[in-house]
Amino acid sequence: MPGSSRPRKFQCCMKHSLKFFLTATSGVQDIPEFMGSALVDGVQAGYCDSNIKTAEPKQDWARKFMKDNPQQLEFYVNECYRLRDFLKATIGSLMKRLNQTGSVHVLQRMYGCEWDDETGEISGFNQYGYDGEDFIALDLQTLTWIAPKPQAFITKLKWDADKARLEFNKNFYTYMCPDWLKKYAQYARSSLQRRDLPSVSLLQKTPSSPITCHATGFYPDRADLLWRKDGEELHEDVDKGEILPNHDGTFQMSVDLNISSIAHEDWKKYDCVFQLSGVKDDIITKLEKSKPMPSRVSCSGFPAGAAIGVVVGLLLLLCIAGLFLWRKKTNGTQ
């Protein structure tokens, strides 16, 4: 009926995740040469880099967990040193093998696991990117490394021959990582069940540009943003973006509406609707001729859908400490 929106598709149960993002750089000034972040369900729980030389919990629940389990904090501190040295050695080896000297290079690693608290299904992943592109990934089904680029084939042969390391990986992603994740999720339950509503803005670059409905500051990431006309959801002339993380642990998303075929007198028929899992009332922002404001650029506004090269990636580093993502061009290991 008019004024209503589509039925919510959010589920009561969710898939939890524990992800580690590591970044090593060469030839980059004014930022740590190594950075690492741990994320639980998309929220940064811990951080370390080569400047602070320790691991720091970033959430209250994470600080409590580490206080109750000091051996885990000690483990992460040691891992920061070990992984820093490993990635630095690897990036140096790659530069020599690929005949690279002098310029900026970035080596990234993303690894971790996911756990479905309803089905009990567990999956793990371990992959590397070099200079903004996929480099090598572990296939946990076959316990072999996948090299999407010829430059990684030598690394694949070397790592495939390290059977002890492969067995450790199998044990880590099958047992250790999911066990940690379940414990973290239990400690983080109250935090992860919180609901933060966003601020919603209508933005427009020029009078003929699409109108962007932008919601930022919401939590969790089980949310939706849509355009309606006369209370009915629009699918044509709409371009929906991905949900992106903010530096403070909240999320943002945008959806564009092409107004080229909309008469000015019909603007009042349109509105933007934000829906958040666990929240009954929607946030509705009506489209009015005087409402859209010029769009702005911020650290949280970098697009995640496009491949992130070295330059853009380094800008992202300055905005969200240690969180580096490269475009996934292969099916990988998940």
Side-chain angles (χ1 to χ4, degrees), residues 90-125:
T90 302
I91 199 172
S93 175
L94 289 175
M95 290 174 63
K96 290 180 181 178
R97 185 192 309 167
L98 302 177
N99 250 355
Q100 297 172 331
T101 57
S103 57
V104 171
H105 298 285
V106 179
L107 177 64
Q108 306 157 249
R109 179 188 178 191
M110 181 180 73
Y111 68 103
C113 56
E114 293 182 336
W115 162 58
D116 191 312
D117 65 4
E118 182 178 23
T119 66
E121 181 183 359
I122 292 170
S123 60
F125 44 91

Side-chain angles (χ1 to χ4, degrees), residues 13-289:
C13 305
M14 65 181 297
K15 183 177 289 186
H16 297 278
S17 65
L18 172 59
K19 297 180 180 180
F20 298 93
F21 294 89
L22 308 177
T23 301
T25 61
S26 175
V28 182
Q29 303 297 321
D30 301 325
I31 65 172
E33 60 182 359
F34 168 79
M35 291 178 287
S37 285
L39 280 73
V40 176
D41 291 353
V43 177
Q44 188 181 42
Y47 173 78
C48 71
D49 65 40
S50 52
N51 287 347
I52 63 176
K53 300 178 181 178
T54 188
E56 296 181 346
K58 291 296 185 179
Q59 303 292 329
D60 288 340
W61 67 261
R63 281 185 277 271
K64 185 177 188 307
F65 180 88
M66 295 306 171
K67 183 178 180 180
D68 295 344
N69 301 270
Q71 72 281 1
Q72 273 251 308
L73 181 58
E74 182 180 357
F75 168 83
Y76 281 125
V77 171
N78 293 333
E79 277 293 278
C80 279
Y81 280 102
R82 186 186 71 82
L83 292 171
R84 177 202 63 185
D85 295 342
F86 172 73
L87 290 186
K88 283 177 60 180
T90 302
I91 199 172
S93 175
L94 289 175
M95 290 174 63
K96 290 180 181 178
R97 185 192 309 167
L98 302 177
N99 250 355
Q100 297 172 331
T101 57
S103 57
V104 171
H105 298 285
V106 179
L107 177 64
Q108 306 157 249
R109 179 188 178 191
M110 181 180 73
Y111 68 103
C113 56
E114 293 182 336
W115 162 58
D116 191 312
D117 65 4
E118 182 178 23
T119 66
E121 181 183 359
I122 292 170
S123 60
F125 44 91
N126 185 9
Q127 57 201 70
Y128 291 79
Y130 186 60
D131 286 352
E133 296 184 342
D134 290 339
F135 184 72
I136 195 168
L138 178 62
D139 185 336
L140 284 169
Q141 300 300 317
T142 62
L143 278 186
T144 57
W145 291 90
I146 300 171
K149 289 185 173 295
Q151 296 91 327
F153 191 68
I154 295 177
T155 302
K156 167 186 164 56
L157 294 178
K158 181 179 179 181
W159 289 5
D160 278 349
D162 192 343
K163 301 303 181 183
R165 181 184 178 191
L166 288 172
E167 282 301 318
F168 173 83
N169 274 283
K170 179 180 179 181
N171 182 66
F172 178 81
Y173 295 109
T174 305
Y175 301 107
M176 293 176 62
C177 183
D179 183 58
W180 293 354
L181 174 55
K182 292 173 185 178
K183 291 177 180 177
Y184 297 161
Q186 185 176 0
Y187 268 74
R189 191 176 306 277
S190 60
S191 174
L192 297 176
Q193 287 179 345
R194 83 176 198 266
R195 296 293 183 270
D196 293 347
L197 294 177
S199 60
V200 180
S201 303
L202 300 183
L203 309 173
Q204 191 179 30
K205 292 181 180 179
T206 68
S208 60
S209 299
I211 293 180
T212 297
C213 182
H214 181 71
T216 185
F218 60 87
Y219 185 91
D221 62 351
R222 285 177 290 160
D224 201 3
L225 192 64
L226 55 103
W227 279 103
R228 299 185 309 185
K229 178 183 179 182
D230 292 329
E232 296 294 328
E233 181 181 358
L234 293 173
H235 297 285
E236 295 184 1
D237 296 325
V238 169
D239 185 15
K240 182 177 293 188
E242 299 178 2
I243 296 179
L244 304 175
N246 289 323
H247 70 280
D248 61 357
T250 63
F251 298 91
Q252 63 166 297
M253 68 185 305
S254 297
V255 58
D256 292 346
L257 174 66
N258 186 340
I259 61 168
S260 59
S261 60
I262 301 177
H264 290 172
E265 60 269 21
D266 289 336
W267 278 39
K268 60 186 178 181
K269 299 179 181 180
Y270 293 80
D271 55 35
C272 177
V273 181
F274 175 84
Q275 300 175 334
L276 184 65
S277 172
V279 176
K280 180 180 179 180
D281 296 328
D282 299 338
I283 296 178
I284 300 175
T285 306
K286 292 187 175 296
L287 178 60
E288 299 172 2
K289 187 59 183 173

